[in-house]
């Protein structure tokens, strides 16, 4: 009798887990279908209003001059032996100085750190990487190439290739997610961690599942699961959606700070219009539900978290919750009026806060190799 009850209990638990999993994926794909229907309505509306220009877009063949600005640093390339991928990065500052490594988000590339490259090259070896699938780095076509463990290993391999075993790691958006995971999995590698508008992965997962408002703000995660259609929607009308992402009043750069110049916007369109570039960047999202297992989620490095007050994609409440996962010094700064792209629209404030954080506690000299 006891064995029968035991087996019934196990069966009940197994069924509950299966139903929970079924419910989760039903929600994911149901929400994806809703986002698709909304996008189709927008596409239909565009066709009605501007039928001749809806499906027009062009590959930018000539890079704007701002991408070759020598004050930002030197363009370099590295091929990682283990993955076989070639990475592009821009580096400035003297070799041998402490390494400050910058990881960009979606849909950006190394250029999003232009203000920080100029600012910190006086005392650091500053390196802004094109992450795999972006810019001049290799663009693997398969979704499987964008697993989180691969992205984290890329950072470790690049640090080692540059001749360092420790770095000051700075990440924004998707780059922030990778930076958090690097600090968790390779704590000895991260001297100090600076994250901009990207919550700890555990905070984001827990918060999004419990707050419908954040789930709505993250609806693009579900829409991007579709093959090909998101690429179409982002590129129609000569990349109108991407332009709006950076320039609109609700999501764009510079409501209170700096605006993107026409040339800077063209730099983004140049990078994203290259063959395969949009698909590669969207593959980050298409692999997001294959979570990287965390045997432990605590961060032992000192952490600075900077948060744009008017981020259109992330709830501000998540920023404070990150404190639960930090086992070292933690500083949180909410920047008034800053957007999701805060290192670009409020670079002076961001740079000042990073300098203050870097000078706290142990001196920079202790992190030389």
């Amino acid at each position: 009798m006891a064995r029968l009850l035991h087996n019934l209990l196990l069966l009940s638990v197994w069924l509950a887990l299966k139903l929970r999993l079924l419910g989760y994926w039903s929600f994911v794909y149901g929400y994806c279908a809703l986002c698709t229907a909304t996008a189709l309505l927008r596409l239909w509306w565009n066709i009605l209003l501007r039928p001749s220009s809806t499906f027009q877009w062009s590959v930018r063949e000539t890079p704007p001059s701002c991408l070759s600005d020598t004050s930002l640093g030197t363009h370099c390339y590295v091929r990682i032996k283990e993955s076989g991928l070639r990475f592009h990065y821009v580096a400035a500052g003297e070799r041998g100085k402490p390494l400050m490594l910058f990881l960009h988000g979606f849909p950006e590339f190394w250029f999003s750190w232009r203000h920080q490259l100029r600012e910190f090259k006086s005392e650091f070896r500053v390196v802004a990487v094109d992450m795999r699938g972006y810019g001049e780095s290799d663009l693997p076509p398969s979704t499987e190439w964008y697993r989180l463990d691969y992205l984290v290993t890329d950072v470790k391999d690049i640090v080692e290739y540059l001749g360092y075993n420790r770095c000051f790691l700075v990440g924004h958006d998707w780059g922030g997610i990778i930076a958090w995971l690097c600090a968790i999995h390779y704590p000895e590698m991260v001297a100090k961690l600076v994250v901009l508008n990207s919550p700890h992965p555990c905070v984001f997962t827990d918060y999004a599942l419990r707050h419908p408002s954040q789930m709505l703000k993250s609806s693009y995660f579900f829409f991007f699961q579709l093959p090909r259609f998101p690429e179409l929607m982002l590129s129609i009308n000569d990349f109108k959606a991407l332009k709006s992402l950076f320039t609109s009043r609700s999501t764009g750069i510079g409501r209170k700070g700096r605006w993107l110049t026409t040339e800077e916007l063209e730099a983004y369109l140049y990078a994203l219009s290259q063959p395969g570039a949009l698909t590669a960047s969207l593959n980050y999202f298409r692999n997001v539900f294959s979570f990287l297992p965390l045997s432990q989620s605590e961060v032992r490095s000192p952490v600075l978290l900077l948060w744009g007050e008017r981020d259109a994609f992330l709830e501000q409440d998540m920023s404070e919750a990150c404190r639960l996962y930090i086992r070292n010094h933690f500083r949180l700064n909410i920047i008034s009026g800053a957007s999701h792209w805060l290192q670009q629209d409020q670079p002076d404030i961001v740079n000042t806060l990073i300098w203050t954080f870097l000078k706290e506690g142990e001196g920079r000299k202790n992190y030389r190799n």
Side-chain angles (χ1 to χ4, degrees):
M1 187 65 173
R3 185 174 181 81
L4 178 61
L5 290 174
H6 176 73
N7 289 337
L8 285 174
L9 179 61
L10 288 178
L11 179 62
S12 299
V13 171
W14 181 82
L15 285 173
L17 291 174
K18 287 294 183 181
L19 287 172
R20 182 179 179 182
L21 187 63
L22 178 63
Y24 172 75
W25 284 109
S26 296
F27 173 78
V28 168
Y29 287 108
Y31 200 68
C32 181
L34 178 62
C35 294
T36 304
T38 303
L40 283 170
L41 287 173
R42 290 177 178 173
L43 176 60
W44 176 75
W45 185 250
N46 279 327
I47 292 172
L48 286 180
L49 292 179
R50 303 177 64 188
S52 61
S53 61
T54 295
F55 297 103
Q56 291 181 359
W57 62 84
S58 60
V59 174
R60 270 63 174 174
E61 296 182 356
T62 304
S65 60
C66 60
L67 293 182
S68 56
D69 184 348
T70 56
S71 70
L72 296 176
T74 304
H75 292 257
C76 309
Y77 300 86
V78 53
R79 186 171 296 278
I80 302 299
K81 183 177 180 180
E82 288 75 9
S83 67
L85 296 179
R86 189 184 78 155
F87 289 86
H88 167 257
Y89 63 92
V90 173
E94 294 180 19
R95 288 183 172 88
K97 287 187 174 182
L99 174 64
M100 182 179 290
L101 185 65
F102 296 96
L103 308 177
H104 63 81
F106 171 86
E108 302 171 288
F109 63 122
W110 71 267
F111 187 66
S112 67
W113 298 109
R114 57 197 177 280
H115 302 295
Q116 288 68 45
L117 287 170
R118 290 192 183 100
E119 177 70 20
F120 294 100
K121 67 182 180 181
S122 60
E123 295 194 34
F124 292 89
R125 178 64 171 171
V126 289
V127 174
V129 181
D130 278 340
M131 298 173 70
R132 68 165 68 188
Y134 282 96
E136 294 184 55
S137 292
D138 281 348
L139 314 177
S142 172
T143 305
E144 284 302 310
W145 281 78
Y146 298 87
R147 282 171 34 184
L148 287 172
D149 53 336
Y150 292 168
L151 302 176
V152 172
T153 302
D154 286 345
V155 177
K156 174 179 173 291
D157 289 342
I158 289 170
V159 170
E160 292 175 351
Y161 168 82
L162 293 171
Y164 292 83
N165 52 42
R166 301 193 85 188
C167 70
F168 295 86
L169 191 58
V170 186
H172 168 251
D173 187 75
W174 259 105
I177 294 174
I178 304 307
W180 281 113
L181 292 172
C182 285
I184 292 169
H185 288 274
Y186 301 107
E188 70 286 348
M189 186 185 74
V190 182
K192 287 190 174 184
L193 177 65
V194 180
V195 179
L196 293 79
N197 278 78
S198 183
H200 186 287
C202 292
V203 170
F204 179 78
T205 303
D206 294 342
Y207 190 92
L209 290 175
R210 292 186 289 107
H211 293 81
S213 56
Q214 179 57 55
M215 193 65 76
L216 286 171
K217 287 187 175 183
S218 303
S219 60
Y220 56 92
F221 272 70
F222 303 97
F223 175 60
F224 289 165
Q225 302 308 306
L226 297 172
R228 300 187 181 182
F229 188 57
E231 286 91 328
L232 172 65
M233 293 303 299
L234 289 173
S235 57
I236 59 175
N237 287 339
D238 196 32
F239 302 97
K240 180 181 178 180
L242 288 173
K243 293 176 184 176
S244 177
L245 190 65
F246 288 118
T247 61
S248 72
R249 292 187 60 83
S250 59
T251 65
I253 297 171
R255 188 172 183 177
K256 287 187 68 176
R258 304 190 185 191
W259 294 94
L260 277 185
T261 66
T262 301
E263 187 179 42
E264 288 169 342
L265 181 58
E266 276 300 310
Y268 282 108
L269 298 180
Y270 168 77
L272 291 165
S273 69
Q274 301 308 306
L278 270 179
T279 296
S281 62
L282 291 172
N283 278 340
Y284 278 67
F285 295 93
R286 289 166 179 159
N287 224 0
V288 74
F289 295 110
S290 57
F291 298 105
L292 176 60
L294 294 178
S295 57
Q296 63 93 20
S297 55
E298 295 178 353
V299 176
R300 287 176 288 189
S301 307
V303 177
L304 169 64
L305 179 58
L306 301 179
W307 204 273
E309 181 189 39
R310 68 176 191 90
D311 191 319
F313 309 104
L314 297 167
E315 298 277 336
Q316 187 174 308
D317 290 346
M318 285 190 287
S319 60
E320 184 62 42
C322 294
R323 190 183 302 273
L324 299 172
Y325 294 91
I326 312 303
R327 295 297 173 263
N328 205 314
H329 174 62
F330 176 66
R331 175 185 287 272
L332 169 65
N333 290 105
I334 310 294
I335 301 179
S336 175
S339 70
H340 179 74
W341 326 96
L342 68 169
Q343 79 270 29
Q344 297 184 72
D345 70 14
Q346 301 280 1
D348 295 336
I349 295 175
V350 167
N351 293 346
T352 298
L353 291 172
I354 293 177
W355 273 123
T356 301
F357 173 68
L358 294 175
K359 292 174 181 178
E360 290 175 340
E362 300 176 80
R364 290 185 297 281
K365 62 182 180 181
N366 293 330
Y367 299 114
R368 293 181 184 271
N369 290 279

